Amino acid sequence: MKRTILIGVLAALMLFAFTACDNTASTGYEQAVISITAEGTPEYFVGDEVALSDYTVTATRFNGETFTVPAADLALSSNAVVEGEAKKAATITYTGFTYGGATVSTDVLATGYTLDAINVAVKDGQKTYYKNSSTENLNDDYTVTAYALDNDEVVYERELASDEFTIESAGFISDEKFTKTGEATLTFKVGAATPAAIEDGENTATLIVMEDYLESFDFEVLAEGATTAYAIEGATIADAEDYIVVTYTMASGNVVKSTDSNVSTNYPKATSTAAWNAEVTANTSKFEEGKTYTITVTANTGATDEATKVSHDVTAEPNKIVSFKVTLTGAEAITAGTEISIDDATAVTATWADQAVGAVEGVTPAVLLENLVMTVNGAEVEAYTVPNNYPAGTELPITFSLSNYPDAECKTTLSTKAN
């Protein structure tokens, strides 16, 4: 029995010793990165930021293994390239698993050249630009190649990305759009400088800015809730343009509306005329219940100013109450403890969308009073008692609405009497 116990103890001690000897492997530190190196000395222009893709980074693990590090496991400082050959340009840091959590990084080198000249070339398929055209993407129409020179000999060159240069044109470009028509001279800048043209090259370009024209249009008929007129049964029919908003799509790509301020000044081609169908005499005929009317808008579209027509139907709507006031008995003498009942309301005075048309048949003052609803803090109530501690001269949480015209705005507020 004792011998069996002794053998078990020895086996346990041997297992513990083996585990202790292999502690590094069991904790995973064999795979931890202890150093990295970077190969490559790319060329840039002075001020450029280096790119990870221009370097091959190799990492060494605790166990001596090496591997090429993917860009996703690297971080790059934003140091800018300076002039000269093989100079420090940035620091690359490994962001994966390191031994003891240590920072593992390496400096990288680059050669920096001064940008001395450029060449500008227009790309195939350049867009047509008009007065008011946006210049936000104008750079995409040009290829700009930059050069570093040594005694007129090119020692380095590369094509600039579209966001590495800017385009200006005095008198033609302002606030990222073309402001007039004609032949514009475009100047190209890199940073604050306007580089010279490479020999037999160009550092400017010319562009003909065309007169903007109306490409297409449509319109909407204003309905209930419009701030201007809309068709109401029984109302005298006003001029057709009073009931519509026209949307103009210009050749420049801009979309403007007839209600926009200065639309006729900024977009002289964004203009149209509107007319009713022949059976309507503006300012004389009245909208009839259930009858359909037509508005036709005519405008000149295209570079040739071709007359184009668009028509939409109009159906009149019943007159609506837009706001109202409530008269209540004793409203001028409300104090703490006063009970206010819906039955205290004696009259509802309505303001109609078209006051000349007035009330819809059957909607009498008595009907409005029957449809009056009182709410307190959003809950419908029949009566409300002002709390005894309610301050004087203070508005009450009472609102009114009309169940038959729920969108009508109540202009009446109730307050306790001031001291």
Side-chain angles (χ1 to χ4, degrees):
M1 184 69 176
K2 291 182 179 180
R3 183 178 179 182
T4 302
I5 294 174
L6 179 60
I7 291 173
V9 172
L10 288 173
L13 289 172
M14 290 176 66
L15 178 61
F16 175 79
F18 175 80
T19 303
C21 290
D22 196 37
N23 185 58
T24 301
S26 65
T27 57
Y29 277 111
E30 284 287 327
Q31 300 298 308
V33 168
I34 60 173
S35 66
I36 59 172
T37 58
E39 293 182 8
T41 308
E43 296 176 315
Y44 299 101
F45 285 114
V46 173
D48 286 349
E49 291 189 357
V50 302
L52 274 174
S53 58
D54 289 332
Y55 298 91
T56 299
V57 178
T58 302
T60 301
R61 291 192 171 106
F62 185 88
N63 63 6
E65 293 177 352
T66 61
F67 66 96
T68 301
V69 184
D73 292 333
L74 297 171
L76 181 69
S77 67
S78 59
N79 295 346
V81 175
V82 297
E83 186 174 8
E85 294 186 6
K87 291 189 175 182
K88 177 183 175 181
T91 299
I92 295 177
T93 302
Y94 180 69
T95 59
F97 179 44
T98 62
Y99 187 79
T103 299
V104 176
S105 61
T106 185
D107 292 338
V108 292
L109 306 178
T111 298
Y113 295 100
T114 299
L115 192 157
D116 298 308
I118 61 172
N119 182 51
V120 175
V122 63
K123 294 180 181 179
D124 292 337
Q126 182 184 32
K127 292 182 294 186
T128 301
Y129 289 91
Y130 304 85
K131 180 183 177 181
N132 295 316
S133 285
S134 170
T135 60
E136 182 180 1
N137 298 315
L138 181 62
N139 291 25
D140 295 336
D141 286 340
Y142 295 91
T143 298
V144 178
T145 306
Y147 303 87
L149 306 175
D150 184 7
N151 294 324
D152 295 330
E153 180 181 348
V154 176
V155 293
Y156 175 62
E157 66 179 85
R158 73 171 174 85
E159 183 180 321
L160 300 181
S162 61
D163 62 354
E164 290 185 293
F165 62 91
T166 55
I167 300 176
E168 298 179 353
S169 183
F172 278 85
I173 296 177
S174 178
D175 296 329
E176 292 192 329
K177 70 177 182 179
F178 285 108
T179 56
K180 69 178 183 179
T181 61
E183 184 177 278
T185 297
L186 309 181
T187 58
F188 292 74
K189 285 190 169 185
V190 181
T194 303
I198 192 71
E199 186 177 358
D200 298 327
E202 299 287 345
N203 66 344
T204 63
T206 58
L207 176 67
I208 302 299
V209 182
M210 308 294 288
E211 183 70 48
D212 202 4
Y213 62 82
L214 179 59
E215 191 170 80
S216 62
F217 69 96
D218 201 352
F219 69 93
E220 62 175 320
V221 178
L222 298 174
E224 178 194 347
T227 55
T228 56
Y230 69 94
I232 296 174
E233 294 172 0
T236 300
I237 302 176
D239 294 332
E241 55 263 28
D242 292 346
Y243 299 88
I244 64 174
V245 173
V246 185
T247 300
Y248 303 102
T249 300
M250 310 302 296
S252 61
N254 291 295
V255 178
V256 295
K257 293 183 179 295
S258 55
T259 50
D260 292 344
S261 60
N262 299 322
V263 62
S264 59
T265 301
N266 296 332
Y267 300 91
K269 296 286 187 175
T271 183
S272 60
T273 58
W276 290 104
N277 49 316
E279 62 184 293
V280 173
T281 301
N283 302 307
T284 299
S285 302
K286 293 182 181 295
F287 285 114
E288 299 177 23
E289 181 181 355
K291 189 172 182 178
T292 299
Y293 303 83
T294 301
I295 293 177
T296 298
V297 173
T298 304
N300 294 330
T301 62
T304 58
D305 284 345
E306 180 181 356
T308 305
K309 298 179 183 293
V310 175
S311 298
H312 289 304
D313 289 339
V314 180
T315 302
E317 304 173 30
N319 205 7
K320 296 270 180 101
I321 296 175
V322 293
S323 64
F324 65 96
K325 292 182 178 179
V326 181
T327 302
L328 285 95
T329 302
E332 72 284 350
I334 298 172
T335 60
T338 298
E339 181 183 80
I340 301 165
S341 170
I342 189 68
D343 295 331
D344 294 333
T346 58
V348 174
T349 305
T351 298
W352 294 84
D354 191 315
Q355 284 290 91
V357 172
V360 174
E361 185 178 356
V363 183
T364 64
V367 169
L368 293 178
L369 194 58
E370 289 175 4
N371 283 272
L372 187 66
V373 176
M374 184 170 75
T375 58
V376 174
N377 295 322
E380 184 176 339
V381 298
E382 292 294 321
Y384 170 75
T385 300
V386 181
N388 289 327
N389 59 350
Y390 207 88
T394 303
E395 185 176 328
L396 298 170
I398 296 175
T399 58
F400 295 97
S401 62
L402 296 172
S403 59
N404 50 349
Y405 291 98
D407 296 329
E409 180 185 4
C410 181
K411 298 290 188 178
T412 299
T413 57
L414 297 178
S415 299
T416 50
K417 182 179 179 180
N419 290 328

